[in-house]
Amino acid sequence: MVLPMIRKLCTGFVFLVLILQGCNGFYLPGSYMHTYSTGDEIYAKVNSLTSIETELPFSYYTLPYCKPKGGIKKSAENLGELLMGDQIDNSPYRFRMNVNESVYLCTTAPLSEQEVKLFKQRTRDMYQVNMILDNLPAMRFTNQNGVKIQWTGYPVGYTPPNSNDDYVINHLRFRVLIHEYEGVGVEIIGTGEEGMGVISEADNKKASGYEIVGFEVVPCSVKYDSDEMTKLHVYDNITSVSCPQELDKSQAIKEQERVSFTYEVEFVKSNIRWPSRWDAYLKMEGARVHWFSILNSLMVILFLAGIVFVIFLRTVRRDLTRYEELDKEAQAQMNEELAGWKLVVGDVFREPFHAKLLCVMIGDGVQITGMAVVTIIFAALGFMSPASRGMLLTGMILLYLFLGIAAGYVGTRMWRSMKGSSQGWGSVSWSIACFFPGIVFVILTLLNFLLWGSRSTGAIPISLYFILFSLWFCISVPLTLLGGLLGTKAQPIQYPVRTNQIPREIPARKYPSWLLVLGAGTLPFGTLFIELFFILSSIWLGRFYYVFGFLLIVFMLLVVVCVEVSVVLTYMHLCFEDWMWWWKAFFASGSVAVYVFLYSINYLIFDLQSLSGPVSATLYLGYSLIMAIAVMLSTGTIGLLASFYFVHYLFSSVKID
């Protein structure tokens, strides 16, 4: 039984080695290198129409655009793309490699009242058409106050200042950057836009052609004679058109107007190589701001580290030394006179109120923190390229599902330590598996009703709900229960001191303790608020976020600040003879979520001023609430676990008879 299995493993290992020996290199998940010959036909694809004003994506073909000959065909989409509202369809825009041409596409039927209303609404809501060629988004450049700004996509139309008329973009001038490629002895295995591309050695083959390394567009509105244009056929050549500056030569959106769509293509040779073609999209702006954020965080860390240093090396060590040098009678007399953390020795490990809820939140916090750490590291190493749309969100969901085993283990082990037995571990594990996902499910369902009502592509289809439920109950729940079972089998955490039967009375405080806890959240927030601005801008303003190296540094600094803040506040509460430190330690660092949510509201009011309508604002606040809850669970768990081990270490150093 064992020998055949060993033989199979050895055979598989040898096969893997042979494959790796034949490989010369590989590309990380993303887009493959496609090499085209002169005249090869390439068809552009279109993604959902998007707007920074409404944040409601709509299908490209909800507007009366030209449709491809073979009908509309959707591209295969991953889990992340579906959740983000992407809907990638084929389009009639045809490019012939290295062939410059001006082409007629189609002329619409006379626009109906409903089509005119929809065109005008999409135009005034600043909707963008997102076109893709060889997995590169179309890029356009505009000048604002003498500054050159780049955007992805082009507008559906435009409304001139001091005018009530709207004009449709019906002529596109494409500029495709190509790099001439010559390769000897290489062969590209596999084709497609996503996945793992492998370049292997070939038998003295020579591959040459052109790679697409840039895709730029200049949108225009041109008024054509519809009677003349209807005589043409699809892809007939027309004379080149320059973008008119006069409004009377532009195509207005009016009832019974027939809109003709045309485009022209210019291929330009470029020195940009294929691996560097995304650099234009991922230009890092504001590097000094990121460094300022890191420097600011370091100052906070050094300040808090100084306080922790004083607590450990001066106060705690001095008190312990004095305490241990006394004989038993003197210790008893000293205990009567002493005030502070040493007096709560019989209550410090007393079970907290709502212990089950705390263990559940710790378990979910471990799961979210683990997901964040692994995702950021992989993204910083370049594994989650923006060329693979939805890869980041898909990876996060899968990591969260599989980290259920860690969540169940930590949550159940904490439960066992608090209770002293494993009784009820199944209920705790089930709650861990359902707590945070349940909150997200409820919020997303409520938001989904709004999206369904708006007929947006951002609405989660029923089929995807079933997929998410299947992943949840077939992967996350069983793994969380398995982790809980392992937590019951693990060695329990032994408390260094015994807990008294009668709880000690906590002295009255001049100020409520929650005020101190709430104020503590400002320090972790100070380390991340600058990076939070860039993340919110990438989500809501359609910008690429790819400075994951900075994000990794900021995340590590955030962990350190959360640990220090929670430890300092826990020590302060113990010095005030307040032995109910569990929840306070959790919210000392977890209260940063309050400031994250408030900052999100501030960003909505002052930075997303163009966001219009109650539906859009509700969507924004709903997604921001999910983010804030995730931040609270993650940072609160970090703070509580750090405080737990601090208190455990502190009281294990005290000699108790």
Side-chain angles (χ1 to χ4, degrees):
M1 183 71 182
V2 178
L3 286 174
M5 187 176 292
I6 295 174
R7 194 178 295 115
K8 286 180 181 178
L9 289 172
C10 292
T11 306
F13 179 74
V14 171
F15 181 69
L16 181 64
V17 170
L18 289 173
I19 290 176
L20 293 176
Q21 283 292 324
C23 291
N24 193 29
F26 66 94
Y27 291 108
L28 294 176
S31 172
Y32 288 120
M33 180 171 63
H34 295 265
T35 305
Y36 303 97
S37 302
T38 301
D40 282 357
E41 291 186 351
I42 316 152
Y43 285 89
K45 295 183 179 181
V46 285
N47 205 339
S48 299
L49 304 175
T50 55
S51 167
I52 61 172
E53 281 212 350
T54 66
E55 301 298 343
L56 296 171
F58 291 97
S59 171
Y60 174 80
Y61 291 108
T62 54
L63 294 177
Y65 285 125
C66 304
K67 295 178 173 58
K69 285 182 178 179
I72 301 168
K73 298 175 183 175
K74 293 183 180 181
S75 298
E77 294 170 334
N78 58 40
L79 186 62
E81 287 178 304
L82 291 170
L83 288 172
M84 290 191 298
D86 287 351
Q87 183 176 311
I88 301 174
D89 302 314
N90 60 335
S91 83
Y93 287 91
R94 184 199 67 183
F95 298 79
R96 291 189 292 177
M97 176 54 68
N98 216 11
V99 177
N100 298 340
E101 55 186 348
S102 297
V103 178
Y104 166 78
L105 209 54
C106 77
T107 301
T108 66
L111 295 178
S112 66
E113 181 184 355
Q114 181 62 29
E115 288 172 334
V116 169
K117 183 181 177 182
L118 197 58
F119 248 131
K120 284 178 172 287
Q121 185 181 346
R122 297 284 185 267
T123 298
R124 296 189 177 185
D125 285 341
M126 298 175 61
Y127 270 88
Q128 302 279 317
V129 177
N130 299 294
M131 193 171 286
I132 305 163
L133 182 68
D134 193 45
N135 209 30
L136 279 180
M139 182 190 291
R140 67 184 173 95
F141 297 94
T142 58
N143 284 309
Q144 291 185 1
N145 302 322
V147 179
K148 191 177 182 181
I149 300 175
Q150 67 180 42
W151 302 84
T152 53
Y154 61 88
V156 167
Y158 66 94
T159 306
N162 305 318
S163 175
N164 292 324
D165 290 328
D166 301 296
Y167 296 85
V168 65
I169 298 297
N170 63 331
H171 179 71
L172 302 172
R173 302 179 66 183
F174 294 108
R175 188 167 175 263
V176 182
L177 305 182
I178 55 174
H179 179 78
E180 193 166 2
Y181 170 81
E182 288 188 5
V184 179
V186 296
E187 178 185 12
I188 301 175
I189 298 177
T191 56
E193 288 185 357
E194 294 159 2
M196 185 72 74
V198 181
I199 296 181
S200 69
E201 295 179 2
D203 300 328
N204 297 322
K205 292 181 181 178
K206 182 176 181 180
S208 62
Y210 298 97
E211 308 157 353
I212 296 175
V213 294
F215 184 38
E216 301 171 4
V217 63
V218 177
C220 309
S221 181
V222 181
K223 185 174 179 60
Y224 291 107
D225 184 346
S226 58
D227 293 331
E228 290 295 324
M229 298 302 285
T230 51
K231 296 177 183 178
L232 299 174
H233 298 91
V234 182
Y235 304 129
D236 281 354
N237 289 329
I238 60 171
T239 55
S240 180
V241 179
S242 58
C243 294
Q245 300 296 323
E246 301 85 0
L247 292 179
D248 58 343
K249 293 182 180 179
S250 301
Q251 179 62 61
I253 303 173
K254 295 180 180 178
E255 280 188 54
Q256 301 306 311
E257 283 280 338
R258 303 187 72 181
V259 181
S260 296
F261 288 91
T262 57
Y263 67 98
E264 53 188 280
V265 186
E266 179 190 8
F267 286 87
V268 180
K269 290 189 178 181
S270 170
N271 292 325
I272 299 172
R273 294 186 175 274
W274 188 86
S276 306
R277 66 181 192 156
W278 274 89
D279 291 355
Y281 299 87
L282 305 177
K283 284 181 180 175
M284 186 181 68
E285 298 178 359
R288 290 185 178 181
V289 178
H290 291 281
W291 285 118
F292 172 77
S293 171
I294 291 171
L295 184 62
N296 172 56
S297 304
L298 285 173
M299 296 298 292
V300 173
I301 284 174
L302 289 174
F303 171 72
L304 290 172
I307 297 176
V308 174
F309 179 82
V310 169
I311 290 173
F312 269 105
L313 295 187
R314 294 194 59 187
T315 310
V316 176
R317 281 296 177 191
R318 184 191 62 200
D319 289 352
L320 287 174
T321 303
R322 286 178 56 203
Y323 193 80
E324 290 171 2
E325 286 177 353
L326 298 172
D327 55 26
K328 292 182 180 179
E329 292 182 5
Q331 281 184 19
Q333 184 180 357
M334 186 178 177
N335 280 338
E336 294 177 2
E337 299 173 355
L338 278 177
W341 60 269
K342 294 168 287 297
L343 293 180
V344 296
V345 67
D347 298 274
V348 70
F349 289 106
R350 189 177 300 280
E351 180 187 330
F353 295 111
H354 307 294
K356 181 180 177 181
L357 178 61
L358 183 61
C359 292
V360 168
M361 294 173 77
I362 291 170
D364 281 328
V366 167
Q367 201 168 359
I368 294 168
T369 305
M371 174 196 71
V373 169
V374 177
T375 301
I376 294 171
I377 290 174
F378 270 76
L381 293 174
F383 281 92
M384 295 183 179
S385 166
S388 292
R389 291 169 186 80
M391 175 69 78
L392 188 66
L393 187 55
T394 304
M396 289 173 67
I397 292 171
L398 293 177
L399 282 170
Y400 182 85
L401 293 173
F402 285 103
L403 284 170
I405 190 168
Y409 177 83
V410 175
T412 307
R413 197 166 182 213
M414 287 297 294
W415 169 258
R416 190 181 178 193
S417 300
M418 291 176 186
K419 290 289 184 180
S421 69
S422 302
Q423 188 176 1
W425 71 270
S427 174
V428 173
S429 299
W430 267 103
S431 300
I432 291 170
C434 299
F435 180 71
F436 180 67
I439 293 173
V440 174
F441 170 76
V442 170
I443 295 174
L444 286 182
T445 302
L446 293 174
L447 297 179
N448 219 40
F449 282 121
L450 296 176
L451 292 169
W452 274 332
S454 303
R455 296 183 179 179
S456 168
T457 59
I460 301 173
I462 296 295
S463 59
L464 185 57
Y465 262 107
F466 282 112
I467 292 171
L468 292 173
F469 266 111
S470 300
L471 291 172
W472 184 8
F473 282 103
C474 295
I475 298 177
S476 183
V477 172
L479 286 176
T480 307
L481 292 173
L482 176 61
L485 181 63
L486 294 175
T488 61
K489 303 294 183 184
Q491 187 72 22
I493 302 171
Q494 298 292 339
Y495 292 151
V497 293
R498 292 191 302 270
T499 301
N500 296 334
Q501 290 185 350
I502 302 173
R504 180 186 180 86
E505 185 179 352
I506 300 173
R509 299 273 298 273
K510 188 175 182 181
Y511 300 102
S513 58
W514 62 263
L515 203 60
L516 189 63
V517 169
L518 191 62
T522 57
L523 293 172
F525 178 73
T527 67
L528 63 83
F529 80 96
I530 293 177
E531 214 61 38
L532 183 63
F533 170 80
F534 287 98
I535 292 171
L536 290 175
S537 297
S538 71
I539 295 172
W540 300 107
L541 295 179
R543 298 172 184 169
F544 285 104
Y545 183 88
Y546 208 60
V547 285
F548 288 103
F550 280 117
L551 185 60
L552 180 61
I553 296 171
V554 169
F555 184 81
M556 290 190 293
L557 296 177
L558 175 65
V559 170
V560 175
V561 172
C562 287
V563 168
E564 292 178 342
V565 163
S566 191
V567 166
V568 169
L569 255 74
T570 299
Y571 180 74
M572 288 175 63
H573 282 113
L574 293 178
C575 286
F576 287 126
E577 302 177 36
D578 185 354
W579 48 266
M580 296 167 57
W581 59 271
W582 296 86
W583 282 104
K584 290 166 186 152
F586 184 91
F587 285 113
S589 52
S591 60
V592 66
V594 175
Y595 300 99
V596 168
F597 189 69
L598 291 176
Y599 183 80
S600 300
I601 296 173
N602 172 80
Y603 186 85
L604 171 64
I605 296 171
F606 296 104
D607 293 282
L608 284 181
Q609 295 175 352
S610 60
L611 198 67
S612 59
V615 173
S616 303
T618 305
L619 286 172
Y620 175 86
L621 292 174
Y623 293 131
S624 298
L625 182 60
I626 291 174
M627 179 178 67
I629 293 171
V631 169
M632 178 196 71
L633 293 172
S634 176
T635 54
T637 298
I638 292 168
L640 176 65
L641 292 178
S643 293
F644 177 77
Y645 285 105
F646 165 73
V647 173
H648 192 280
Y649 167 78
L650 181 63
F651 284 91
S652 63
S653 304
V654 179
K655 292 180 180 179
I656 303 296
D657 293 332

